[in-house]
Amino acid sequence: MTRLPFILLGLAIILGAYGVALYNSLQRADESVNAAWSEVVNQYQRRADLVPNLVATVKGYAAHEQATLAQVVEARSRASSVHLSTEQLNDPAALERYRAAQSELGNGLARLLAVAEGYPDLKASANFEALQTQLEGTENRIAVARKDYIASVQEYNKLIRTFPTNIIARIVG
């Protein structure tokens, strides 16, 4: 009979430690999601940073394509002005604004590269070729970063929806 309080205390300590471990796994998963999103944003910024050099190179060869060049510059400006923090990822409207701005920039770059197809001297330019290679690499990095982000979100969602972690998730919000 005198052992019962010690047994209950030991059980409470074990359950408390287990709850702390589950909470910490939730926090690690949340940080993983945030880091993965930051990498997505980083790669989109890398793409946006390539635009001025690409536009300047094309402008030197295709001066009469001003409308396309202006569209790309405007799309870059809009894409750079729309920021989406990890706190805003649950806001569908903010996420859609970010997606639309990035999509517009991607479409503008595709049009710019299509214009470049009509200029053999431009396509042969070492500067243009290097920028195009960097852009292709960046698009691949964006795809990988988005895939990694989705995987992190899936892992986090599994954690918060499975027993017993879902109990801790509800308790801590």
Side-chain angles (χ1 to χ4, degrees):
M1 191 77 150
T2 58
R3 291 184 178 188
L4 185 61
F6 292 113
I7 292 172
L8 291 176
L9 178 63
L11 186 59
I13 290 172
I14 290 170
L15 287 175
Y18 185 63
V20 167
L22 291 177
Y23 174 78
N24 287 341
S25 69
L26 282 170
Q27 293 306 308
R28 280 190 298 275
D30 185 48
E31 285 303 313
S32 179
V33 167
N34 292 341
W37 178 251
S38 294
E39 184 59 22
V40 170
V41 170
N42 182 37
Q43 294 308 322
Y44 278 130
Q45 185 59 49
R46 177 183 165 90
R47 178 177 70 176
D49 290 346
L50 290 172
V51 170
N53 293 336
L54 193 60
V55 167
T57 302
V58 172
K59 191 182 286 187
Y61 287 89
H64 61 281
E65 300 287 353
Q66 289 302 317
T68 302
L69 296 171
Q71 288 172 350
V72 172
V73 170
E74 288 172 22
R76 178 193 185 265
S77 177
R78 281 191 289 278
S80 296
S81 69
V82 177
H83 299 285
L84 188 64
S85 67
T86 54
E87 292 80 28
Q88 295 172 306
L89 287 173
N90 292 328
D91 179 1
L95 192 57
E96 177 55 26
R97 282 191 303 275
Y98 188 80
R99 187 209 58 78
Q102 293 303 328
S103 179
E104 183 182 359
L105 178 56
N107 292 338
L109 286 170
R111 284 191 304 275
L112 183 63
L113 293 175
V115 163
E117 289 295 318
Y119 296 91
D121 291 345
L122 173 59
K123 285 176 31 180
S125 161
N127 190 28
F128 179 76
E129 195 173 308
L131 287 168
Q132 191 173 12
T133 301
Q134 287 181 33
L135 187 59
E136 289 169 4
T138 300
E139 292 296 336
N140 290 337
R141 288 178 180 196
I142 289 170
V144 169
R146 289 177 63 174
K147 180 183 78 63
D148 291 347
Y149 170 70
I150 290 167
S152 293
V153 169
Q154 286 174 333
E155 198 57 39
Y156 180 73
N157 286 340
K158 280 191 250 180
L159 266 175
I160 64 174
R161 290 186 178 118
T162 56
F163 182 80
T165 317
N166 64 343
I167 294 170
I168 302 297
R170 279 193 215 130
I171 290 170
V172 298

